Amino acid sequence: MPSASDSDELIFFVNGKEVIEKTPDPEENLLHYVRKNLHLTGTKYSCGGGGCGACTVMVSRYNPKTKKIYHYPATACLVPICSLHGAAITTVEGVGSIKKRVHPVQERLAKCHGTQCGFCSPGMVMSIYTLLRNHPEPTPDQITEALGGNLCRCTGYRPIVESGKTFSPKSTVCQLKGSGKCCMDQDESCLENREEKMCTKLYNEDEFQPLDPSQEPIFPPELIRMAEDPNKRRLIFKGKRTIWIMPVTLDDLLELKASYPKAPLVMGNTAVGPGMKFNDEFHPVFISPLGLPELNLMNTTNSTANGVTIGAGYSLAQFNDTLKFLISEQPKKKTKTYHALLKHLRTLAGPQIRNMATLGGHIESRPNFSDLNPILAAGNTTINVMSKEGERQIPLNGPFLEKLPEADLRPEEVIVSVSIPHSAEWQFVSGLRLAQRQENAFAIVNAGMSVEFEEGTNTIKDLQMYFGSVAPTVVSASQTCKHLIGRQWDDQMLSDACHLVLEEIRIPPDAEGGMVEYRRTLIISLLFKFYLKVQRWLNEMDPQKFPDIPEKFVSALDDFPIETPQGIQMFQCVDPKQPQQDPVGHPVMHQSGIKHATGEAIFVDDMPPIDQELCLAVVTSTRAHAKITSLDVSEALACPGVVDVITAEDVPGENNHSGEIFYAQSEVICVGQIICTVAADTYIHAKEAAKRVKIAYDDIDPTIITIEQALEHNSFLSAEKKIEQGNVDYAFKHVDQIIEGEIHVEGQEHFYMETQTILAIPQTEDKEMVLHLGTQFPTHVQEYVSAALNVPRSRIACHMKRAGGAFGGKVTKPALLGAVCAVAANKTGRPIRFILRRSDDMLITAGRHPLMAKYKIGFMNNGEIKAADVEYYINGGCTPDESEMVIEFVVLKSENTYYIPNFRCRGRACKTNLPSNTAFRGFGFPQATVVVEAYIAAVASKCNLLPEEIREINMYKRTCKTAYKQTFNPEPLRRCWKECLEKSSFFARKKAAEEFNKNNYWKKRGLAVVPMKFSVAIPTAFYNQAAALVHIFLDGSVLLTHGGCELGQGLHTKMIQVVSRELNIPKSYVHFSETSTITVPNALFTAGSMGADINGKAVQNACQILLNRLQPIIRKNPKGKWEEWVKKAFEESISLSATGYFKGYQTNMDWEKEEGDPYPYYVYGAACSEVEVDCLTGAHKLLRTDIFVDAAFSINPALDIGQVEGAFVQGMGFYTTEELKYSPKGVLYSRGPDDYKIPTVTEIPEEFYVTLVHSRNPIAIYSSKGLGEAGMFLGSSVLFAIYDAVTTARKERGLSDIFPLNSPATPEVIRMACTDKFTDMIPRDDPSTFTPWSIHVS
């Protein structure tokens, strides 16, 4: 291969500056380039596969033909730098910065509280900014669409959308339910009648700077000159291993394809890129025909009067615009194929991928999940291909999609364009799909179908059906279609079609992807939808001749629309008598909000490289339980750039600390356990070498994966925990009815946007080690590193500035990973940067505990529950981690809000061969209480009452004791419950839903209201202590530090508010730098919703000590300024530094006696959600949610509402779309955003109302409450609303209304619970005859 020296220069611009790369590497992507070469770290790495939007940038190109500049969003992780010749890139730094000028997009995102951890914020900014460059006054729908490719795990999206809506020409706030009245103009009087005035404004729009499109940077004139250069020539970029060739003419391209027939054509790199990244595909040559005019033509004239020919180089976004144009120009009868394509283009991937991927590339790569190819095939599309030999047409049909050799492209051929005919008058074309979530998710099954009738009749002349995601390729049901030609379009034809298609398309029982029975059901459910759509259309064509479909079936025709979310947030207004300067109680913006939005907030991987720094890659076990018989690292050590391979032998101290193993030595106990690590000069070198480590295993029996298997083998991590009150066995003998059941709740992945990240720097003296990392518990990291290195803790310094989300996943895991990293730094003597790739992070660190519960409930016919006996088991994984504490919490919280006089609850943590599950927001409560609400629903069903009525009957009514003898007053709980029922108009809406359900057979609505009694803090008193350190400097400025960690919840912002109030100084005087074990030793974890509670008390204590010292000086000069007092104090030798301390809430729990005061107080709340469910597909739409949370007095309503909304959406994901899939051998399949679906902006409630209810909580600082976790369980209102809708469907179909209410309620679970003639029709397999692809581990 030619040397890199004769490579052409790659020229592009980044943020207005020219970049000339003399040795461009075709394998390097833009994300790596801007972060490592240009040191622009605002663009973030989160998933590496284009699925999360954290690395979004704006690409601008000039088109010499149209003389226009085009701006579009792209995910930098998939953009090869070589594809950018002649392009201008804008990163978040180029949009605006604190140093120069903050752009209105950045300012509004921050001021509308659209940032929490801030890791996704630069990507959000770029998506909105790019939209504004194309549409300076976007509609709310355009904003929602623009954000469709960006994931956020913190905010719940509502404030992000709201910040974008401030640019819309119409009002930025919702018009109340079409009344045209604005919710902000409500009668002030109606809000004042209550005890306190309620506010609804979390930010002040008058502060926003206006958007001036004329101020945006210009497109570099040099790039225009380059694009218009008439003497363009072929460019060749040569990397170390690969060559990138850019032809300038079609002939040149065909010449190249003849010379390099195996070279892929790369335009958007959305197919080739992920293949190289995740499947280790290698291509020595790339051909990139970007910008070739012949691939970018559109022709609707002369020879193609009966259709359109579109260039293969059109991006899917341009294809979308072309279809819209065609629909506006052509009569409706000709555009049915275009309409079908448009519908699928709206939800295909996200806007970034749609702007990168090309029509030709999508067709050629033929993914089996393609949403477009089945429709193109059904619409009789032809592909126009060329080679040096000439041109020809290939029909885009079954044989082509199934990659049959005779119907395929030849290696030297190139797709030049695609011809899509207009639909015929008597032809109907439709696209149908169903995915785990509505947008940016591969279809579980999709279809393209087309039927043509003999003119004026319903006799089938031609029929085509193509299905995706049911086989390794898209498949055509050609035999079925052949059979049905000549038949009438009627019910008998439908019945035959269903049987024939199931016969023809057989999904094997162990098929990859699982969900086999569900996918079989979807094939015929989608066929039925198509049947109805055609019936409807025939009726429109000739109402006399063709009957309409039954009125009750009409709602089955359409998919759920994507609406822009809207809502109101209500909180207590600040007392007008409060001093102006006191920020407590005000919705203050996150102190890093602007930095988040400009990308200037520094995360660990954004820190500049240190001299001689190495990168670390992990080698993990591929077996769940096995002996390691040999470990050969010789090949890895010989790889380029590799400095060392680190194994268990290299741990100077303990390799097993408190049951947690750093490096597996002789045995592995789960898939994903770290066996060794490779340290190399770059991550790419480390990763390459890691693949060359050879490990041989001998499996050990038993391998325990599920809770059921653990119970079989009596495999537990800790002793049983139990609480009991009353006489349970006696009570069961004296009740009217008894029900028993079993509930399964699957686990959840944290999916923090910033993966686990550690920078370990060995010091030259005294065996000191400095670590920078994102963690919730620096002391724990210090402990583990100290144990692994066998040095005192005083020599281990852990620095924690901020984490890009954590949710419990950064409590214990960073300690284990920190030890692994520190051992590598210790052995090599060099700094180590350890960034887990998303797939490794998901594999190694695990998440929420899956849970299985068995209940037995005794109750009276009036709905009063007299006795409950519940057993809980959680899947703890292979080491102790936090499992024992989680099961304690599960047992203690297992009554939720209900008083059951005779109550027994037991729980155990199971030991299995899975990676150890760990802390996760809510800590057992979100799993355990699903069981409680499930048996409430079962009792309701037996008593023929609403679940809400059973909840009311059994709820705590007056001050009483819990089952573990802790006294509490449920008055705020009753208030939240009552307000939720009233303000959400629950009973009126329930009636309306019943009316809707009567009139609709295939779609059902459901509502549910769930109450909550959530506990805060830890039952062990010393876990609740905290310390702070406050320095006053001679200029009057204040430096604050404390033991709490900033994870996005705004802890430091609240602490600055506390200092401002206590010292009576403006908050601008107060600075917080970082959390560190050097400044505040032995600090406990930031978890359990108590960060602001305990650190706030410690900060307050430090401030009060300082103020007391200053008192004599203030008394002498009461009119003096703060700065004068400080100067005087120093002159009088008064210390201006103080340590504050809070002893902690004095909690306790005696498990022997089964009683105690485990929690200092409770957070109460209630949520009402309404959903609509599609019984044919299992899809659901969340229409509205009302949340009422008892916040007592909110220190910062903006942050608290952000926590409630974010937790609710995370909870909703947990209970609906988020599904972890494991192989029967314990291998986790769900290892990235492609196969693990957290909510996107389209999943959140269409209407979202949140109210912070005021009460008193004298025990906590300023009478506040910790709200970090409480909202998580309220997401279960969506789960129970779904089950309400499914129950209605089941009753109408004559089925039992008691069925297992397991979680998550995925589309599969919903569809298969709505049993009907289609689910009865599918073939079923005997489970003993095959091994399923995936299993549940709860």
Side-chain angles (χ1 to χ4, degrees):
M1 187 166 287
S3 68
S5 57
D6 47 359
S7 181
D8 283 309
E9 285 182 347
L10 171 69
I11 300 170
F12 60 104
F13 277 67
V14 176
N15 300 334
K17 289 192 181 136
E18 187 174 34
V19 175
I20 300 176
E21 184 55 60
K22 293 194 183 319
T23 54
D25 184 352
E27 292 183 274
E28 185 166 21
N29 64 54
L30 177 63
L31 175 61
H32 186 269
Y33 191 85
V34 295
R35 287 183 64 83
K36 300 298 176 212
N37 295 38
L38 305 180
H39 309 295
L40 298 171
T41 54
T43 310
K44 303 293 182 224
Y45 164 81
S46 180
C47 78
C52 72
C55 64
T56 303
V57 296
M58 182 174 85
V59 181
S60 307
R61 292 185 187 271
Y62 175 77
N63 182 331
K65 196 171 148 216
T66 60
K67 303 269 189 277
K68 279 187 183 157
I69 293 154
Y70 295 91
H71 308 290
Y72 62 89
T75 47
C77 66
L78 287 181
V79 176
I81 53 164
C82 292
S83 70
L84 295 172
H85 188 74
I89 304 300
T90 308
T91 68
V92 69
E93 291 90 347
V95 173
S97 67
I98 294 168
K99 288 191 191 103
K100 293 184 180 160
R101 170 180 161 262
V102 175
H103 190 277
V105 172
Q106 296 165 322
E107 177 198 34
R108 295 186 197 189
L109 183 70
K111 289 184 176 171
C112 293
H113 315 289
T115 84
Q116 284 185 24
C117 83
F119 203 78
C120 74
S121 306
M124 297 288 178
V125 164
M126 293 314 302
S127 285
I128 300 173
Y129 175 75
T130 309
L131 173 70
L132 293 178
R133 288 299 298 267
N134 292 317
H135 304 278
E137 291 196 335
T139 65
D141 286 349
Q142 284 176 317
I143 292 151
T144 307
E145 184 169 351
L147 293 170
N150 293 73
L151 298 179
C152 170
R153 195 53 155 163
C154 295
T155 63
Y157 301 100
R158 196 257 332 141
I160 299 172
V161 175
E162 204 160 294
S163 76
K165 283 200 316 202
T166 61
F167 295 102
S168 294
K170 287 205 287 296
S171 76
T172 58
V173 288
C174 70
Q175 298 299 315
L176 256 188
K177 283 310 279 171
S179 62
K181 284 214 327 241
C182 167
C183 59
M184 299 299 180
D185 307 331
Q186 286 183 19
D187 279 356
E188 286 298 324
S189 58
C190 76
L191 294 177
E192 281 188 53
N193 314 347
R194 310 195 11 209
E195 304 90 287
E196 68 277 330
K197 191 164 174 242
M198 296 300 276
C199 284
T200 55
K201 266 190 128 70
L202 288 168
Y203 53 87
N204 180 6
E205 284 161 47
D206 302 337
E207 286 181 11
F208 297 161
Q209 45 172 340
L211 176 71
D212 181 355
S214 68
Q215 293 304 297
E216 299 300 352
I218 61 159
F219 187 78
E222 185 179 334
L223 294 183
I224 297 179
R225 282 197 296 278
M226 268 171 64
E228 294 188 330
D229 176 8
N231 307 316
K232 276 201 216 109
R233 60 178 181 83
R234 177 196 286 189
L235 294 176
I236 300 177
F237 305 125
K238 293 173 183 163
K240 291 189 185 75
R241 312 193 301 164
T242 56
I243 298 189
W244 181 283
I245 311 176
M246 291 183 74
V248 284
T249 63
L250 184 57
D251 288 345
D252 193 14
L253 168 63
L254 301 178
E255 189 72 50
L256 282 168
K257 198 69 178 115
S259 309
Y260 303 105
K262 285 197 174 139
L265 293 194
V266 179
M267 304 272 277
N269 200 42
T270 55
V272 174
M276 290 165 58
K277 246 186 184 162
F278 303 120
N279 306 334
D280 294 329
E281 290 168 12
F282 175 70
H283 305 283
V285 180
F286 301 94
I287 301 171
S288 180
L290 268 167
L292 268 198
E294 294 88 342
L295 299 185
N296 287 287
L297 299 170
M298 181 187 87
N299 189 348
T300 52
T301 51
N302 45 42
S303 62
T304 52
N306 49 3
V308 61
T309 298
I310 295 173
Y314 263 48
S315 71
L316 296 183
Q318 290 170 311
F319 181 43
N320 188 66
D321 295 342
T322 304
L323 293 172
K324 282 183 176 162
F325 167 74
L326 287 167
I327 285 168
S328 67
E329 294 282 300
Q330 297 289 344
K332 198 175 169 187
K333 64 179 181 189
K334 291 187 173 183
T335 60
K336 285 166 283 202
T337 309
Y338 311 147
H339 273 285
L341 287 163
L342 258 188
K343 181 173 81 86
H344 279 195
L345 277 164
R346 171 63 184 87
T347 55
L348 187 147
Q352 297 91 328
I353 301 294
R354 293 199 290 271
N355 275 284
M356 294 158 68
T358 57
L359 179 59
H362 184 86
I363 289 171
E364 205 282 322
S365 59
R366 282 163 286 186
N368 71 332
F369 50 78
S370 165
D371 282 337
L372 303 182
N373 288 348
I375 303 173
L376 290 167
N380 299 319
T381 301
T382 38
I383 311 164
N384 305 308
V385 301
M386 282 180 102
S387 67
K388 277 181 76 181
E389 268 51 79
E391 51 188 294
R392 64 185 186 116
Q393 277 71 43
I394 301 179
L396 200 168
N397 57 11
F400 172 78
L401 292 173
E402 288 162 35
K403 302 188 181 175
L404 300 182
E406 69 277 7
D408 212 343
L409 274 84
R410 300 181 193 120
E412 69 282 3
E413 286 181 326
V414 172
I415 300 179
V416 178
S417 60
V418 179
S419 299
I420 311 169
H422 296 323
S423 48
E425 186 168 1
W426 283 89
Q427 181 191 12
F428 186 83
V429 185
S430 184
L432 306 112
R433 76 189 295 271
L434 194 280
Q436 191 82 347
R437 63 175 185 220
Q438 203 167 358
E439 181 172 23
N440 199 4
F442 296 141
I444 296 169
V445 172
N446 58 17
M449 302 189 196
S450 145
V451 62
E452 191 176 352
F453 295 105
E454 301 289 355
E455 201 165 321
T457 72
N458 67 348
T459 305
I460 300 170
K461 178 177 166 187
D462 182 48
L463 178 63
Q464 298 191 56
M465 292 193 276
Y466 295 89
F467 292 93
S469 293
V470 296
T473 65
V474 171
V475 290
S476 160
S478 50
Q479 294 308 311
T480 302
C481 296
K482 237 186 241 157
H483 269 285
L484 297 171
I485 286 175
R487 296 277 299 271
Q488 309 290 299
W489 194 262
D490 57 24
D491 290 359
Q492 187 52 52
M493 183 285 305
L494 169 71
S495 173
D496 293 350
C498 289
H499 286 104
L500 287 164
V501 80
L502 286 171
E503 192 63 38
E504 183 172 1
I505 298 175
R506 286 176 174 263
I507 306 175
D510 57 355
E512 190 180 331
M515 302 187 282
V516 170
E517 292 186 353
Y518 174 46
R519 288 195 281 168
R520 289 170 180 165
T521 306
L522 274 181
I523 290 173
I524 51 176
S525 297
L526 296 181
L527 173 53
F528 175 60
K529 279 196 173 232
F530 179 65
Y531 171 76
L532 292 178
K533 284 172 188 261
V534 174
Q535 281 280 58
R536 192 81 211 263
W537 168 74
L538 281 170
N539 171 257
E540 283 165 13
M541 293 292 280
D542 190 340
Q544 309 306 227
K545 211 187 250 180
F546 308 115
D548 200 357
I549 61 172
E551 195 54 41
K552 284 181 81 161
F553 285 17
V554 172
S555 61
L557 296 173
D558 294 317
D559 293 345
F560 293 120
I562 294 177
E563 303 284 355
T564 302
Q566 53 183 34
I568 306 173
Q569 302 77 44
M570 298 184 86
F571 55 96
Q572 182 199 1
C573 301
V574 173
D575 184 339
K577 298 192 218 45
Q578 183 170 312
Q580 197 79 45
Q581 188 173 285
D582 180 357
V584 172
H586 288 282
V588 176
M589 177 179 75
H590 193 295
Q591 46 85 244
S592 295
I594 298 283
K595 286 187 284 188
H596 290 158
T598 60
E600 289 166 287
I602 299 297
F603 293 85
V604 174
D605 194 29
D606 302 336
M607 294 169 71
I610 299 163
D611 187 38
Q612 291 207 302
E613 172 187 291
L614 300 173
C615 294
L616 206 62
V618 287
V619 177
T620 55
S621 163
T622 55
R623 303 287 177 86
H625 194 194
K627 276 219 164 352
I628 298 175
T629 54
S630 78
L631 173 59
D632 176 4
V633 299
S634 54
E635 219 181 294
L637 282 167
C639 288
V642 171
V643 172
D644 215 335
V645 175
I646 298 92
T647 68
E649 310 290 324
D650 302 312
V651 181
E654 297 173 42
N655 187 39
N656 179 332
H657 183 67
S658 307
E660 303 299 326
I661 300 157
F662 304 145
Y663 286 92
Q665 198 155 7
S666 54
E667 185 186 336
V668 289
I669 48 176
C670 69
V671 174
Q673 186 176 6
I674 295 172
I675 295 174
C676 62
T677 54
V678 180
D681 58 350
T682 66
Y683 179 75
I684 290 166
H685 282 152
K687 188 77 192 147
E688 273 307 309
K691 291 175 198 161
R692 291 180 165 64
V693 172
K694 294 189 166 54
I695 304 166
Y697 304 95
D698 262 350
D699 286 338
I700 302 174
D701 279 340
T703 298
I704 299 169
I705 306 299
T706 67
I707 290 176
E708 198 181 326
Q709 291 165 349
L711 297 182
E712 231 170 84
H713 289 94
N714 220 10
S715 174
F716 298 104
L717 287 164
S718 57
E720 180 178 270
K721 305 289 172 181
K722 171 173 158 297
I723 51 170
E724 187 165 353
Q725 72 174 0
N727 187 333
V728 176
D729 299 329
Y730 176 83
F732 274 123
K733 293 174 184 149
H734 297 84
V735 292
D736 294 340
Q737 296 188 59
I738 293 176
I739 48 164
E740 298 187 46
E742 186 173 298
I743 299 289
H744 294 260
V745 181
E746 294 302 318
Q748 183 180 23
E749 159 62 30
H750 299 95
F751 214 95
Y752 26 68
M753 295 303 289
E754 175 198 37
T755 59
Q756 302 272 357
T757 307
I758 298 155
L759 180 57
I761 310 161
Q763 305 299 294
T764 44
E765 297 177 46
D766 304 326
K767 296 187 173 175
E768 287 184 337
M769 182 72 71
V770 174
L771 294 102
H772 295 271
L773 69 173
T775 175
Q776 294 171 254
F777 198 179
T779 304
H780 199 50
V781 180
Q782 183 188 41
E783 174 196 340
Y784 274 50
V785 171
S786 150
L789 299 184
N790 197 18
V791 299
R793 293 195 197 185
S794 54
R795 301 185 191 191
I796 312 294
C798 295
H799 298 271
M800 156 64 190
K801 183 104 175 164
R802 58 174 62 85
F807 318 114
K810 293 179 183 172
V811 177
T812 61
K813 300 298 181 182
L816 178 103
L817 296 165
V820 164
C821 184
V823 167
N826 177 67
K827 185 182 182 193
T828 57
R830 290 166 66 170
I832 298 275
R833 190 174 292 250
F834 186 22
I835 317 290
L836 280 187
R837 300 291 103 178
R838 176 65 63 187
S839 60
D840 288 333
D841 190 299
M842 290 181 73
L843 179 69
I844 295 166
T845 66
R848 188 184 294 283
H849 289 74
L851 172 144
M852 185 263 270
K854 298 175 179 182
Y855 64 76
K856 180 181 176 185
I857 309 295
F859 56 98
M860 310 310 283
N861 289 334
N862 67 357
E864 195 179 339
I865 298 174
K866 292 290 192 187
D869 188 357
V870 190
E871 286 175 62
Y872 286 108
Y873 299 97
I874 58 172
N875 192 327
C878 58
T879 63
D881 203 283
E882 302 261 38
S883 295
E884 185 168 7
M885 205 198 286
V886 170
I887 201 67
E888 287 177 6
F889 273 52
V890 163
V891 171
L892 289 172
K893 299 179 180 204
S894 60
E895 53 174 32
N896 195 12
T897 56
Y898 308 111
Y899 173 68
I900 299 173
N902 305 287
F903 183 79
R904 180 194 298 138
C905 177
R906 291 166 287 185
R908 280 196 93 168
C910 298
K911 183 177 184 178
T912 61
N913 296 114
L914 287 178
S916 291
N917 286 306
T918 188
F920 199 136
R921 197 180 206 165
F923 211 72
F925 185 81
Q927 301 99 297
T929 29
V930 166
V931 180
V932 182
E933 299 304 331
Y935 65 64
I936 291 282
V939 170
S941 178
K942 288 286 185 197
C943 298
N944 213 7
L945 293 167
L946 288 177
E948 286 68 24
E949 292 170 316
I950 301 292
R951 291 182 177 118
E952 176 72 53
I953 291 164
N954 293 288
M955 202 178 288
Y956 279 105
K957 307 280 195 302
R958 61 196 71 81
T959 300
C960 35
K961 289 189 167 175
T962 62
Y964 43 86
K965 319 285 187 289
Q966 182 166 21
T967 306
F968 79 106
N969 175 8
E971 189 277 327
L973 163 67
R974 307 286 309 161
R975 227 176 108 196
C976 289
W977 174 251
K978 189 166 158 281
E979 288 207 15
C980 188
L981 287 172
E982 281 174 15
K983 301 269 166 37
S984 69
S985 323
F986 170 74
F987 290 104
R989 282 168 53 213
K990 183 82 184 153
K991 272 208 168 57
E994 281 165 12
E995 197 51 40
F996 175 90
N997 292 340
K998 249 192 264 167
N999 298 328
N1000 293 277
Y1001 188 80
W1002 296 110
K1003 284 217 173 109
K1004 297 293 176 195
R1005 287 193 179 164
L1007 282 93
V1009 185
V1010 295
M1012 171 185 73
K1013 168 169 76 65
F1014 183 80
S1015 60
V1016 166
I1018 309 291
T1020 313
F1022 72 82
Y1023 277 148
N1024 301 318
Q1025 62 182 306
L1029 182 61
V1030 178
H1031 301 313
I1032 304 173
F1033 291 91
L1034 291 182
D1035 61 353
S1037 66
V1038 173
L1039 179 65
L1040 155 71
T1041 183
H1042 55 83
C1045 297
E1046 177 58 61
L1047 317 163
Q1049 80 283 43
L1051 174 60
H1052 299 338
T1053 311
K1054 283 186 176 178
M1055 295 307 98
I1056 289 168
Q1057 288 175 277
V1058 171
V1059 174
S1060 172
R1061 168 177 277 192
E1062 293 298 329
L1063 297 180
N1064 194 18
I1065 55 175
K1067 60 181 195 300
S1068 60
Y1069 282 32
V1070 188
H1071 177 62
F1072 186 97
S1073 175
E1074 64 167 10
T1075 305
S1076 155
T1077 54
I1078 294 178
T1079 48
V1080 178
N1082 312 320
L1084 281 139
F1085 39 71
T1086 304
S1089 301
M1090 60 184 185
D1093 279 40
I1094 63 174
N1095 292 296
K1097 286 274 198 188
V1099 169
Q1100 183 183 42
N1101 176 241
C1103 291
Q1104 287 170 351
I1105 291 168
L1106 288 165
L1107 214 52
N1108 281 339
R1109 291 179 192 163
L1110 291 172
Q1111 234 27 70
I1113 286 164
I1114 296 171
R1115 271 200 293 276
K1116 281 185 199 157
N1117 178 14
K1119 293 225 161 71
K1121 283 198 172 114
W1122 167 255
E1123 288 84 349
E1124 293 163 11
W1125 298 334
V1126 168
K1127 190 166 173 286
K1128 188 74 178 140
F1130 182 71
E1131 287 162 6
E1132 294 193 9
S1133 303
I1134 292 171
S1135 166
L1136 294 173
S1137 173
T1139 302
Y1141 184 67
F1142 175 53
K1143 187 179 176 185
Y1145 296 125
Q1146 295 311 294
T1147 55
N1148 62 82
M1149 180 65 201
D1150 185 333
W1151 284 100
E1152 292 294 306
K1153 293 183 180 165
E1154 301 178 16
E1155 61 181 64
D1157 280 328
Y1159 302 113
Y1161 63 85
Y1162 296 100
V1163 173
Y1164 305 101
C1168 171
S1169 289
E1170 180 175 9
V1171 300
E1172 192 173 314
V1173 162
D1174 184 333
C1175 304
L1176 276 170
T1177 61
H1180 79 272
K1181 183 76 181 158
L1182 178 51
L1183 303 173
R1184 173 174 166 177
T1185 294
D1186 299 72
I1187 295 176
F1188 291 79
V1189 172
D1190 153 43
F1193 172 79
S1194 171
I1195 293 174
N1196 186 329
L1199 296 180
D1200 285 342
I1201 286 170
Q1203 286 300 291
V1204 171
E1205 290 182 339
F1208 171 82
V1209 170
Q1210 199 173 50
M1212 176 195 84
F1214 168 51
Y1215 297 118
T1216 57
T1217 59
E1218 296 183 33
E1219 190 175 18
L1220 288 166
K1221 301 214 161 166
Y1222 295 86
S1223 83
K1225 293 199 166 152
V1227 179
L1228 176 68
Y1229 291 131
S1230 319
R1231 292 179 59 181
D1234 280 359
D1235 32 35
Y1236 185 76
K1237 296 299 174 192
I1238 71 168
T1240 62
V1241 68
T1242 45
E1243 268 66 48
I1244 73 170
E1246 287 179 9
E1247 294 176 66
F1248 201 179
Y1249 304 107
V1250 177
T1251 303
L1252 298 183
V1253 179
H1254 182 223
S1255 67
R1256 296 195 48 69
N1257 188 31
I1259 190 173
I1261 185 157
Y1262 307 148
S1263 190
S1264 63
K1265 284 194 173 183
L1267 299 182
E1269 301 170 279
M1272 188 92 202
F1273 166 68
L1274 296 176
S1276 72
S1277 59
V1278 179
L1279 176 74
F1280 291 104
I1282 287 171
Y1283 278 116
D1284 181 47
V1286 170
T1287 302
T1288 308
R1290 287 177 63 88
K1291 276 185 178 163
E1292 187 173 25
R1293 289 152 175 73
L1295 302 159
S1296 153
D1297 56 358
I1298 296 186
F1299 56 101
L1301 289 111
N1302 295 330
S1303 168
T1306 58
E1308 175 184 18
V1309 169
I1310 296 169
R1311 175 65 186 102
M1312 300 317 280
C1314 296
T1315 314
D1316 56 29
K1317 62 181 180 187
F1318 300 112
T1319 53
D1320 291 345
M1321 213 182 269
I1322 62 163
R1324 311 258 172 173
D1325 302 285
D1326 174 355
S1328 65
T1329 58
F1330 66 94
T1331 304
W1333 179 78
S1334 72
I1335 56 167
H1336 286 144
V1337 296
S1338 66

